[in-house]
Structure formats: C-alpha cells, structure tokens
Amino acid sequence: MPKMNKITDVAQKIGIKKENLFFYGNHIAKVADQGEVKVQDSKLILVSAMTPTATGEGKTTMSIALHDGLWAINEKSLLCLREPSLGPVFGRKGGATGGGRARLFPSDEINLHFTGDLHALTSSVNLIAAVIDNHIFQGNALRIDINNIVWKRALDMNDRALRNVKVGLGPNNGEERIDHFQITVASELMAILCLSENEADFKERVSNIIVAYDSDNKPIFLRALEIEEAIFHLMKQALLPNLVQTYEGNPVFVHGGPFANIAHGCSSLIATRTALKYAPIVITEAGFASDLGAEKFMNIKCRIGDLVPNLALLVVTLKAIKTHGGQKAAELHLESLPAIELGMKNVIRHYENLHNAGLPVIVLINEFADDVESEKTLVEKLLTQLNYEYSFVTSFKNGSEGAIDLAKKVKAKLNEEQRFKFLYDVKQSITNKIKTIARNVYRAKDVIFTEEAVRQIEEIKKQGFNDLPICMAKTPLSFTDNPAIKNAPDNFTITVREVTLNAGAKFIVALTGEIMTMPGLPPKPAALNMKEVK
C-alpha cells in the first residue's frame, strides 16, 4: 500500500484552496465550491462498458487508470465517481474503489461510512416517512389515502425481507398499513442529490416530491408537510463533493451513488460541474453499460445539467466477450476464438450506441494476467477491421504506466469533432420516449405495456408531467429485460410493468422485467470475505 498524501496536497494539484475544504481526517475532505473559479473550456469524458458479466469488467479501475495515465503525460484531469453503497459492498459486488495499482484511497473508508452522505440520505428518507405516518396519526388534515402513499422507507443494505412490511401494528402506533423499503441508492432523494445544481435547486426539488395521494386522488407534495428545511439541514453537508486520491496521489471526487439499473446511475452534477471549473479534462463513469448508465447520463444528466460530453470510452474484457459468445464460466480460462468472434457482437452494439449519440469512441481492453495471447490478437484484428480505435490497459498491475497508450490516444481524440445529441425530445409522449429507448438502444422489436403501466402513464399525463426524461429500470445483464439472454439479441420485446413519477427528481421511471428497488443478498455475500474490501 502506498503512502497517502495529505488531502491538502492533493487539493493543491488542481488549485483547490485549503479554506475551501472540510476535513474528515488527513486523507478525505469535502469541497466547498469557489464562486470565483470560472468554468473553463474543459473536456468531459464518459466511461461506459459492455454488458456486465460475473467476471467483472473493471469500469471503475479503468476510469482511475485513465486519470493516472493523463497525469503521467502531464495532462491535468479530475475524476468523478459514484459513492459505494453498503448493499453491494456486503452483497454480490464487494468494494467499489478500483483494484490493484488503479484504485482509490482510503478504500476501506470510502467503501463503508465515508463522510456520512449515505447515512444522511437514509435519515432524510425515513424522516419523510415518519412525518407522513405521524400526520395521519395526528388527525390527517391533508386527507392522505393510507392505501396510496408512494413514499417508501429506505435502508442502505440489501434486505429482501423489508420489500413489503406491515407498519402501525399494536394499539396507539398509528394506522396499520402495508409499507415498503427500498435501498437508499434507489430513492428519489438520491436522484435529487445527484441532479441538483445547487442548494436552492435541491430545496425546490425536495419540495416537489410527491409523497402520497389524497382521498380525491390528488397528489400531495412534500411541501405540504412543511419539512423542506429539515431535510435540507440533514443533507446540507452531503451536497458537497468528497475529495480523495488515487494510488498515485491524484485528486478524485467521489459523490452520490444512484443505482444505474434502477436510478440514473451517475455521480452528482454538483461534483461534475465543480470538476469542470478546476480541471481541463474531467472523466466520469456511468453505471453498467451503454444501455443503462450511459443512456441515462446522456439523456437525463446531460439534459438537466446542460453538459456536453466530448468522448466516450467503452471498457471490455476478453472474458466478458467470451461469456457473451457462449463460453461457460468454468471454461473461460481456455482458448475459444469462436466465442471471441461471436461475443464481439455485444461490443459492437455498445460501441454503436455511444457513436450514434454523436461521440467519438475508444475501446478500452482491461487486460488480465491470464488473458490468452491468441485471443488478444484476434480482438485487435477485429477492432482494426471495424476501424475502431482501441487500447490495451494493464494498470491493475502497472498503474499509470499501463495506461500511457490510452492517455495519449484520449488526448488526441479530444480534439476530434463531436456531434452529441439527445436520443429523444422530452415533449414526445411517455410511451414514445420509452419505445425510442427500447428500439434504438436495446434493439427491441416492440414494447408491451401492462394495463397498470398504461393507467399510470395516463395519470402522469393528467398531472401535467409528460415532458420529462425517462429513467428505464432494467436488468444490467442483458439488452433485454431477461437477464439470462446474453450477447446482442434481436427480435425481442420489452415489457413495462409499472411507470412511476419522480416529480422532485424530474424524471419518469419505467420498470421492466423483475427489477426491484430493494435487492437481496446472494448465497455467499461479500460480507463473508471483507478482506477483499481493503
């Protein structure tokens, strides 16, 4: 483990003054934005990936690799990543701070309690829930329909037993009703944290949250509960970006962490905009692949935040390509050139998604020690035939040295013209926006809407919220809504089972397949082997 630099020294590398730091020990700080720092003509890079597999593609590791690689060739950059959630840390994924010599420090603090942002979010979500139930108990002046309360409680942990619960049991404990928990990072409040431009915007969005409906089926906004200021005070520190460092001592903002399969999957707009003020090159990642995090980054975050990305990186691995090419997990260490050829269809589709958005694209191959040489040669040949620019990266083992080729290619590519464009016009109907995403990004033949989804869409339109972007909730393991279907399928349908309105976050959520807002733990949770987090 390297010797960590003082966070004041890390901040100085990009001109952040000591008086603008709130310290959490010697190696973590929150950054108060300096109003006098002007937004420069900075370049914004999006890091995405192919469809995830059980072997892991290393998108965070590769984002860190590029960041360190740029500093190694004397190009100042800032990296913006999402905060880890305790659910995945203790669940299937484990830690989320990179790996090897391309990782963040102090990794254990970042993965666990960090600066308390997730705790503040959880407390705020549950304060809203508590006030709703107390209001009903104290006479229910707002005439809240207890069977139509849409605000859920939250816990930053994978706990399937809390998906559906009964509250108010026993005498004098309020109205007995069915309630629900979601994981904190899937909450609307997390989305609001990450999409707010500043404190005033945060307050306005919070006040516009729909928490329930009254007995006449009219929406009840959070402002009716008169707790906006309480929520703001709970969240005030959480609105500030967190500054940490890479293995090589370079500055990183880690702030906000919405799931990409349920929420919009991007770090905070505040962190990104602050980074653009301090660094000529800003790198950020969006959860999972181009069909989830990247699509939402472009059509939700960039739209709301008036951001224009200049370049996209597509992270792939040989094992992931072979998995999508049909090779069994137990045989991934064996050579299979046919699986490489077939699995490249998945890479091509993700490349096309990013390219079709008007962005230059570089394919980034995260190299592993046990990669088969003949397969590497074939991937190079196929990428060359496709006229895709690419780079093999060995930063897990070699740190910034393993990303020098990538950094040089990125520097050159940033000067290329981009024609970034949104996928859809928000003024289109909700149904058409969903179909546009499914057909153009997933390549679905059609979209099926359940009767409940159709009813909910009509209700959202009646309330006057048609002109909002769409946040698709879909499995990350497939272009379809069935996680078992790999590679790049065609001629399939997507089923939208539920459509909900996040009026505060200002987007509409379309839930597909069996996606849930409260994950469960796998048979062998990562909590059984916490040494991997450090």
Side-chain angles (χ1 to χ4, degrees):
M1 178 174 171
K3 180 181 178 182
M4 283 186 282
N5 297 322
K6 289 184 177 180
I7 201 65
T8 48
D9 296 335
V10 175
Q12 279 184 346
K13 295 181 76 169
I14 48 170
I16 298 176
K17 297 177 182 179
K18 183 177 180 180
E19 55 263 33
N20 288 95
L21 299 176
F22 293 90
F23 297 100
Y24 290 74
N26 291 324
H27 305 116
I28 299 173
K30 279 189 169 290
V31 179
D33 192 10
Q34 289 178 287
E36 69 271 17
V37 178
K38 303 298 182 184
V39 175
Q40 52 191 297
D41 186 21
S42 301
K43 305 293 186 181
L44 180 59
I45 300 170
L46 169 66
V47 181
S48 187
M50 64 186 297
T51 302
T53 67
T55 59
E57 288 61 58
K59 183 152 47 64
T60 300
T61 302
M62 293 297 97
S63 298
I64 297 166
L66 170 60
H67 182 43
D68 283 342
L70 285 167
W71 279 89
I73 63 169
N74 298 314
E75 293 291 332
K76 286 188 176 182
S77 61
L78 245 176
L79 173 61
C80 297
L81 295 172
R82 289 173 297 159
E83 296 183 49
S85 163
L86 292 179
V89 167
F90 292 123
R92 190 179 301 276
K93 185 176 181 179
T97 54
R101 294 176 65 89
R103 61 192 294 200
L104 303 181
F105 287 96
S107 57
D108 50 352
E109 283 92 337
I110 296 168
N111 275 317
L112 301 176
H113 299 290
F114 202 19
T115 57
D117 291 351
L118 272 294
H119 298 307
L121 269 161
T122 303
S123 298
S124 298
V125 170
N126 291 329
L127 171 61
I128 296 169
V131 170
I132 291 169
D133 280 312
N134 183 62
H135 179 88
I136 295 168
F137 179 77
Q138 301 296 346
N140 198 5
L142 294 173
R143 298 187 300 120
I144 295 172
D145 180 354
I146 66 168
N147 296 311
N148 206 357
I149 297 172
V150 294
W151 188 256
K152 297 179 180 179
R153 288 173 157 83
L155 185 70
D156 191 39
M157 194 64 62
N158 292 3
D159 193 346
R160 63 172 58 84
L162 294 178
R163 287 172 182 162
N164 300 292
V165 298
K166 184 173 281 188
V167 298
L169 298 177
N172 214 32
N173 290 328
E175 290 281 351
E176 186 175 312
R177 66 182 182 89
I178 299 296
D179 201 0
H180 314 274
F181 273 80
Q182 61 191 329
I183 192 165
T184 301
V185 289
S187 68
E188 183 176 2
L189 200 58
M190 170 59 91
I192 289 173
L193 166 69
C194 290
L195 292 173
S196 295
E197 297 184 48
N198 47 45
E199 290 184 353
D201 188 35
F202 175 81
K203 287 182 182 180
E204 180 187 354
R205 287 171 178 271
V206 167
S207 72
N208 288 329
I209 293 171
I210 296 175
V211 297
Y213 290 84
D214 66 17
S215 53
D216 295 323
N217 201 35
K218 293 181 179 179
I220 297 173
F221 296 91
L222 183 137
R223 57 180 173 269
L225 299 175
E226 301 180 348
I227 56 171
E228 306 101 302
E229 285 299 322
I231 299 301
F232 170 69
H233 284 289
L234 269 175
M235 291 291 298
K236 187 175 182 179
Q237 288 295 104
L239 286 169
L240 301 177
N242 306 298
L243 179 67
V244 293
Q245 63 190 288
T246 68
Y247 187 99
E248 300 189 9
N250 295 316
V252 181
F253 285 159
V254 179
H255 191 225
F259 275 3
N261 59 334
I262 298 168
H264 74 285
C266 303
S267 61
S268 78
L269 179 59
I270 289 174
T272 304
R273 282 186 162 179
T274 304
L276 288 167
K277 292 181 180 181
Y278 284 105
I281 300 174
V282 174
I283 308 155
T284 191
E285 56 87 38
F288 298 123
S290 75
D291 56 323
L292 286 170
E295 184 273 310
K296 297 169 186 177
F297 170 83
M298 293 185 285
N299 293 298
I300 298 178
K301 181 176 176 177
C302 289
R303 193 190 302 266
I304 289 174
D306 196 25
L307 301 175
V308 179
N310 300 90
L311 173 67
L313 300 186
L314 179 62
V315 177
V316 308
T317 68
L318 298 186
K319 287 185 174 66
I321 293 172
K322 288 196 289 185
T323 298
H324 286 288
Q327 192 161 9
K328 297 177 181 179
E331 299 174 354
L332 285 174
H333 63 289
L334 302 175
E335 180 190 77
S336 179
L337 299 183
I340 289 286
E341 292 215 42
L342 183 59
M344 278 295 293
K345 290 181 179 180
N346 187 268
V347 177
I348 292 169
R349 182 163 294 181
H350 287 293
Y351 184 102
E352 289 176 346
N353 281 345
L354 298 168
H355 181 72
N356 291 343
L359 297 178
V361 185
I362 297 176
V363 178
L364 187 168
I365 303 97
N366 182 9
E367 218 176 310
F368 287 78
D370 59 348
D371 282 347
V372 180
E373 199 64 34
S374 59
E375 293 175 347
K376 287 172 55 180
T377 301
L378 178 57
V379 167
E380 285 191 88
K381 176 185 174 183
L382 295 172
L383 290 172
T384 301
Q385 289 175 349
L386 290 162
N387 200 29
Y388 290 179
E389 187 149 14
Y390 64 89
S391 180
F392 283 84
V393 178
T394 61
S395 292
F396 184 94
K397 178 182 178 182
N398 299 318
S400 61
E401 289 183 12
I404 297 296
D405 176 68
L406 173 65
K408 289 179 178 178
K409 288 177 177 176
V410 164
K411 180 181 177 182
K413 203 81 169 174
L414 284 173
N415 294 321
E416 288 190 11
E417 184 181 4
Q418 55 79 25
R419 298 181 178 86
F420 174 66
K421 58 186 179 182
F422 298 126
L423 180 64
Y424 53 82
D425 185 336
V426 290
K427 294 188 180 299
Q428 294 176 14
S429 71
I430 295 169
T431 299
N432 283 345
K433 285 180 285 194
I434 293 172
K435 287 182 176 179
T436 297
I437 296 170
R439 289 170 176 167
N440 291 275
V441 178
Y442 311 156
R443 312 304 199 277
K445 178 181 66 175
D446 202 2
V447 180
I448 297 171
F449 295 87
T450 64
E451 289 184 9
E452 178 69 3
V454 171
R455 184 193 65 77
Q456 291 167 332
I457 288 171
E458 287 303 312
E459 190 64 31
I460 292 169
K461 287 164 62 178
K462 286 179 183 177
Q463 293 172 16
F465 290 101
N466 179 86
D467 297 352
L468 295 177
I470 302 296
C471 182
M472 296 292 289
K474 182 183 75 69
T475 176
L477 301 178
S478 174
F479 275 107
T480 75
D481 53 10
N482 181 351
I485 300 175
K486 305 299 181 186
N487 210 359
D490 295 297
N491 200 35
F492 62 91
T493 58
I494 292 280
T495 299
V496 175
R497 75 168 200 269
E498 186 178 346
V499 179
T500 61
L501 170 64
N502 282 6
K506 298 183 182 179
F507 59 66
I508 294 163
V509 182
L511 288 99
T512 69
E514 297 181 358
I515 201 74
M516 294 185 176
T517 57
M518 171 58 87
L521 291 171
K524 293 184 178 179
L528 302 180
N529 192 12
M530 283 307 294
K531 65 182 180 182
E532 294 184 359
V533 175
K534 296 183 179 181

